[in-house]
Amino acid sequence: MDTYVCGGCGWHYNGDTPFDKLPDDYTCPMCGTAKSLFKKVEG
Amino acid sequence: MAGALELKKGVYAVGALDPDLPEFDEALTPYGTTYNSYLVVDEQVTLIDFVRANFAAELLENIASIIGDRLIDNIIVNHCEPDHSGALPAIVKAYPAAQLYGTANAQKALAAYYPDSTYTFNVVGEGDKLDTGELTFHFIPMPMVHWPDSMSSYLPARKILFSNDALGQHIGSGERIDTEVAKEKLMDCAQNYYANIVMPWGMQVTKLLGQVAQIEVDMVCPSHGVVLTTFLPDIIAAYARWASGATDGHQVTIVYDSMWGSTAEIAEKLREEYEASKHHVNVFSLADTHYSVVIGDLIESRYIFVGSSTRYNHMLPSVAGFLSYLEGLKPKDRVGLAFGAYGWSGESVDDIAAALSSMGFEMKDPIKVQWRMAPEHN
């Protein structure tokens, strides 16, 4: 499965909601980096 | 034992000195370090950060030397790494009514670190304030400078920023204020600290500097090292340069380890070549230099050349360790070159080149030599 990694701090998104269904104003809970700066890691 | 020191009216340094500490978070600390804690005495008494656990008694003594039997009302927890929070259990035991203030991430980490301690924690964020009578603290979260929970606190009435791990230095040789330290030592220590601790977070540092530029500050009280006053503009300018990730096209850092000197000869040849073309070159052997010293040097080097002998089909462990450490610091805008001598297989050069490439380095042609360079190339 693809995972999403924060471009700011490297935190891995692991939530139940698919990443692309998260609101546009979603930010990294660790460092506050915007959703648009997360990177997809092919899994 | 450092003792308490008044910095400005009602603002005291009450932290601890650790002059003999050999290394911190993997980086050598030739001057040791300090664990800074500050006490602000107003209608209410506020403590800013703790110290490492083994210095708790010293912190309590310093606090008592200022406030005697008065109690601490508030504790601002700017960062929960154990060098700043280690004394939490002792302090909340001595001052159980104190209210703690910090970010949501700090609350979670402290709960995990100190499950046996009881305290009241108030989560604060951007724009939140704490009134202590005449004075008001403004909280400025600065996630990833150094951990997700990190925060700085601003006291406008005194023009002081309590910057925690930002703008710090590992200077534990006894000086308390920047003007007591030779400027060159201060800037070297600040550079080494930034390179080894803050370097991956340039984006977040830039954001913080933008916020600091909007406020009036003439004193910065960091969590390690000396309080910044006169040299604050120099440190801020250096941080802005380092945080931008910009490198200097005339600086070359060459780092290697060598079994029998053949890889060292390649390093020296590279030094001669680049010095001849007016570059400033520093060469380090990992056999006698700790990797954190090399990192302190290479922060603005455009060129980072890495060499290793091949030992049993691998690069030397010292070089592998250096590369792993370097990768974590996310250096940007670099040109790399892999070099090394080998006896019969030579994997080290390809492995170093692959490691530097994966960090986004633009790579120059590698130099791979069997046994030893021919004399005409020496």
Side-chain angles (χ1 to χ4, degrees), chain B residues 236-317:
Chain B
I236 295 267
Y239 259 62
R241 208 171 64 239
W242 298 326
S244 75
T247 56
D248 178 345
H250 288 94
Q251 286 196 40
V252 184
T253 298
I254 301 177
V255 53
Y256 70 93
D257 201 355
S258 186
M259 288 174 73
W260 292 106
S262 300
T263 298
E265 285 176 358
I266 306 171
E268 285 308 317
K269 177 175 171 278
L270 283 166
R271 180 212 290 271
E272 281 166 27
E273 255 180 54
Y274 278 81
E275 280 181 347
S277 54
K278 307 286 179 221
H279 290 79
H280 179 78
V281 184
N282 280 334
V283 181
F284 299 95
S285 160
L286 289 168
D288 55 21
T289 310
H290 192 267
Y291 44 64
S292 67
V293 175
V294 184
I295 296 297
D297 179 77
L298 61 66
I299 185 164
E300 291 183 73
S301 296
R302 171 80 48 78
Y303 299 97
I304 300 175
F305 300 163
V306 181
S308 174
S309 322
T310 295
R311 179 183 186 273
Y312 305 152
N313 310 109
H314 287 274
M315 70 179 90
L316 296 173

Side-chain angles (χ1 to χ4, degrees), chain A residues 8-9 29-31, chain B residues 105 143-144 148 201:
Chain A
C9 70
M30 284 296 139
C31 74
Chain B
N105 279 322
M144 306 321 294
W201 317 117

